[in-house]
Amino acid sequence: MAQERFKSRGGFILACVGAAVGLGDSLRFPGLCAKYGGGTFLLIYFVALIFIGIPVLNAEIALGRKFRAGAPRCMAQLNKKAEPIGWASCFNSLVVAVLYAGILGWIIAMLIKIVPLCKASTSMTHTEVSEYFFTDVLGEKLSPLVFVCIICAWVIMYLFLRGGARSLSKTAKFTVLIPVVMLVLLTVRGLLYENSGEALYALFVPDLKALGDAELWLNAVGQVFFSLSVLVGIMPAYGAYLPEKTNVFRDSMIIAFTDFFISVLSSAVLFTTLYGCGLQGEISQSGIVTAFMVYPAAISVVFGAGNTVFNSIAGVLFYTSLAMMAAQSSVSMIEAAANPLSEKFKIDKKKTVGVICIIGAAICTVFATPAGTAALDLADHFANYFNILLLGVAECILLGKYAKSVNLAGEINLYTRKLKMPAKPLIFSLKYLSPAALSCLTLWGFYHLIFVEGGLYGGYPLWAQAAFGWAVSLLVFASGFVILGISKRRRRRPVRIIKLRR
């Protein structure tokens, strides 16, 4: 991994921001703001970002630079027995990348259909517009359009990945900067509504009475880990690509606060748009509902019910920005696993990426069918929630335990001047705060699943939960031991000696 480098510091920052800013920031974050009183959620999120998120982000990037390796080797450098944790993080990222690729295919399909929908919406009811994607685009059988869009998504991701670190930093210039510009334009439109002040009040003014809600604290702290894309193997991989003499602490702060800014900007778009369209009651915590049911209904009337031209432009801008963010997040997750795999088994990286993309595209076929919504919901809940939390607990305990022995604070502050990461608060956050927060989130998740939902997440039958949920988690946690087992067999394989005839 050491042979690859980001060409510049700016390329590294953009790539990390692109990895962090994804569908969670643009869809789930605004939904959580709406559910938990806007400003109250932002306040707790910001505090958790300072005391928990930034220390973990710094630690992962510094660890990757120190050992010039991805998550598996970094974990092994801390403790030889911990390598499976790194591999499990990488394979969990692959699972999430497959889910995001399926959603990217949906987004591309919606991008194609948004202009016809805006034109047809004048003769459609609100319910018909909201359900348009799932009834007319996805349908009740395999959708040819969605299938082709999913294949296109994987082709795009392969093109992003094949050039390595330099390719990632180049594409990030477009997949980060262009969506930000588009979000700003959509925010400006939202601010022109007469009730935009009401929307901003709901978003930014905290309700102090809500501070006693334990669920609010858990979701705000959890969103910090999900938003920054830590604990999934991405940041150690990107840290390994760092140019020499990079100021890790300063750049980590830039990444964290840029990610926070884009999350808030996305929330401003959602709040002002939906309040302006009279749809504030439909703000949902579910990113899928927001992207494919709420936003189409809002976009069809964003400039007035009969103004199909400007409504179509707004729709194209929104879904283009969403597609770029989803693509950048997906390629970052694949990159987290591709390089360690290619190094472990001495396989050409382009071939590794190609194989991952082919297998991923085959699995993603399910998202072109009606079963895709259930598969996505279940797999996302287990891979993007339970798996990350459990792996995060293990990783943070390791980071806290060995932070002194590997001089983690020293690595973070290696090229800093004035502003430095203090060693004791760093270790305290890694050793105690982060594991405690992640453990609480995990326990709350299991409690909610077993006692509130009766063990059936989302009301899905047990076989579906086992196939798309528990089985996915089992494969992820077994992956590290499988990789090590295959690697040991390859090393033990006897070398055949061919005797030449004289």
Side-chain angles (χ1 to χ4, degrees), residues 348 486 490:
D348 179 71
I486 295 172
R490 286 169 65 94

Side-chain angles (χ1 to χ4, degrees), residues 149-421:
C149 290
I150 287 173
I151 299 302
C152 290
W154 280 102
V155 171
I156 292 168
M157 290 191 296
Y158 174 76
L159 295 175
F160 280 11
L161 285 159
R162 66 176 183 174
R166 291 188 177 184
S167 176
L168 289 169
S169 60
K170 286 180 180 178
T171 55
K173 293 177 182 178
F174 300 97
T175 57
V176 175
L177 298 178
I178 291 176
V180 170
V181 172
M182 291 180 176
L183 287 173
V184 169
L185 292 174
L186 291 171
T187 303
V188 170
R189 170 64 190 112
L191 292 174
L192 295 177
Y193 286 113
E194 291 183 0
N195 61 347
S196 61
E198 183 184 349
L200 295 178
Y201 183 90
L203 174 60
F204 290 111
V205 177
D207 178 10
L208 298 180
K209 294 180 182 178
L211 290 174
D213 187 350
E215 189 175 312
L216 161 62
W217 285 83
L218 288 170
N219 274 297
V221 172
Q223 186 62 27
V224 169
F225 293 106
F226 305 141
S227 287
L228 291 178
S229 288
V230 292
L231 312 176
V232 292
I234 295 174
M235 294 308 168
Y238 281 11
Y241 300 153
L242 271 176
E244 295 295 335
K245 298 184 179 180
T246 301
N247 187 330
V248 171
F249 185 58
R250 178 187 60 193
D251 289 356
S252 295
M253 297 285 280
I254 293 172
I255 293 163
F257 289 121
T258 302
D259 175 72
F260 179 63
F261 167 75
I262 296 175
S263 296
V264 174
L265 187 63
S266 298
S267 301
V269 171
L270 180 73
F271 273 66
T272 56
T273 301
L274 296 191
Y275 268 77
C277 296
L279 301 174
Q280 59 267 36
E282 297 188 18
I283 300 177
S284 172
Q285 184 181 342
S286 168
I288 299 301
V289 171
T290 301
F292 299 102
M293 295 183 73
V294 178
Y295 265 121
I299 287 168
S300 65
V301 294
V302 70
F303 283 96
N307 200 336
T308 57
V309 174
F310 283 100
N311 291 343
S312 298
I313 292 172
V316 170
L317 288 176
F318 174 74
Y319 283 105
T320 300
S321 64
L322 208 59
M324 287 184 173
M325 288 189 282
Q328 187 65 36
S329 291
S330 298
V331 299
S332 302
M333 292 174 187
I334 295 172
E335 180 67 21
N339 228 331
L341 282 171
S342 62
E343 283 198 343
K344 188 74 173 179
F345 296 105
K346 311 300 180 186
I347 305 172
D348 179 71
K349 186 180 172 183
K350 286 185 179 180
K351 290 182 179 178
T352 305
V353 169
V355 170
I356 289 172
C357 289
I358 290 170
I359 295 173
I363 295 171
C364 265
T365 304
V366 70
F367 299 120
T369 70
T373 53
L376 175 64
D377 193 18
L378 284 165
D380 179 70
H381 188 66
F382 281 81
N384 217 8
Y385 185 81
F386 287 120
N387 290 6
I388 289 178
L389 295 177
L390 290 170
L391 289 168
V393 171
E395 180 183 316
C396 289
I397 289 173
L398 282 167
L399 289 172
K401 184 177 181 179
Y402 295 102
K404 284 185 179 179
S405 61
V406 298
N407 192 20
L408 201 53
E411 183 67 29
I412 293 170
N413 297 322
L414 190 58
Y415 298 106
T416 57
R417 295 180 181 178
K418 295 180 180 180
L419 191 63
K420 295 180 181 290
M421 169 67 78

Side-chain angles (χ1 to χ4, degrees), residues 72-217:
R73 275 179 55 193
C74 285
M75 293 297 104
Q77 290 290 339
L78 296 178
N79 187 308
K80 290 182 180 180
K81 295 180 180 180
E83 187 176 345
I85 296 173
W87 284 115
S89 295
C90 290
F91 271 81
N92 195 60
S93 288
L94 284 181
V95 171
V96 178
V98 169
L99 300 179
Y100 273 31
I103 297 173
L104 176 57
W106 288 5
I107 294 170
I108 295 172
M110 199 63 207
L111 178 60
I112 294 170
K113 287 290 188 176
I114 192 63
V115 174
L117 175 61
C118 288
K119 291 180 179 178
S121 63
T122 53
S123 59
M124 298 168 68
T125 66
H126 174 75
T127 302
E128 288 173 336
V129 175
S130 296
E131 297 177 355
Y132 175 79
F133 176 79
F134 293 104
T135 57
D136 293 66
V137 179
L138 194 58
E140 297 180 358
K141 297 179 181 179
L142 188 143
S143 168
L145 172 63
V146 175
F147 175 77
V148 171
C149 290
I150 287 173
I151 299 302
C152 290
W154 280 102
V155 171
I156 292 168
M157 290 191 296
Y158 174 76
L159 295 175
F160 280 11
L161 285 159
R162 66 176 183 174
R166 291 188 177 184
S167 176
L168 289 169
S169 60
K170 286 180 180 178
T171 55
K173 293 177 182 178
F174 300 97
T175 57
V176 175
L177 298 178
I178 291 176
V180 170
V181 172
M182 291 180 176
L183 287 173
V184 169
L185 292 174
L186 291 171
T187 303
V188 170
R189 170 64 190 112
L191 292 174
L192 295 177
Y193 286 113
E194 291 183 0
N195 61 347
S196 61
E198 183 184 349
L200 295 178
Y201 183 90
L203 174 60
F204 290 111
V205 177
D207 178 10
L208 298 180
K209 294 180 182 178
L211 290 174
D213 187 350
E215 189 175 312
L216 161 62
W217 285 83

